[in-house]
Amino acid sequence: MRNRVLPTEKGVSGEAGHKDILFYIPLSKPIDYIEGFEEAVTEALKKSSSAVALTDVKVKRSILITFLYNEWCIVIEGAPVSKVP
């Protein structure tokens, strides 16, 4: 018998990012894009109790650079799916 998956909820999202002052003083843990992507997906999956994966995934990235304050953020949005026995 093949495993099947079913949508569980309308949609969830997760985000991860990094903030700093003057490009050198971190305000949050520095992470690269791969770690940020993994952290955002994990956060999104935690928002649904039975989710094992996401479908219809959208990835958004935002960057804010000013003279004093800088941040980048990655946001993952998708529909969670769960495994059906």
Side-chain angles (χ1 to χ4, degrees):
M1 179 180 266
R2 292 175 33 189
N3 290 332
R4 297 184 304 159
V5 293
L6 293 175
T8 57
E9 297 175 18
K10 192 76 172 164
V12 293
S13 66
E15 65 180 56
H18 174 74
K19 301 172 184 171
D20 61 46
I21 298 175
L22 297 174
F23 295 100
Y24 300 107
I25 304 167
L27 297 176
S28 62
K29 175 187 164 212
I31 56 177
D32 63 14
Y33 287 107
I34 300 299
E35 288 176 355
F37 184 83
E38 291 172 352
E39 186 177 318
V41 169
T42 301
E43 182 182 319
L45 289 173
K46 285 181 183 177
K47 292 181 179 178
S48 178
S49 61
S50 61
V52 294
L54 296 173
T55 186
D56 298 326
V57 175
K58 294 179 186 170
V59 179
K60 299 178 183 177
R61 182 178 72 164
S62 66
I63 299 173
L64 172 67
I65 298 175
T66 65
F67 180 69
L68 295 174
Y69 175 79
N70 308 296
E71 74 177 26
W72 72 267
C73 183
I74 185 167
V75 179
I76 306 293
E77 297 174 343
V81 294
S82 64
K83 192 182 247 187
V84 177

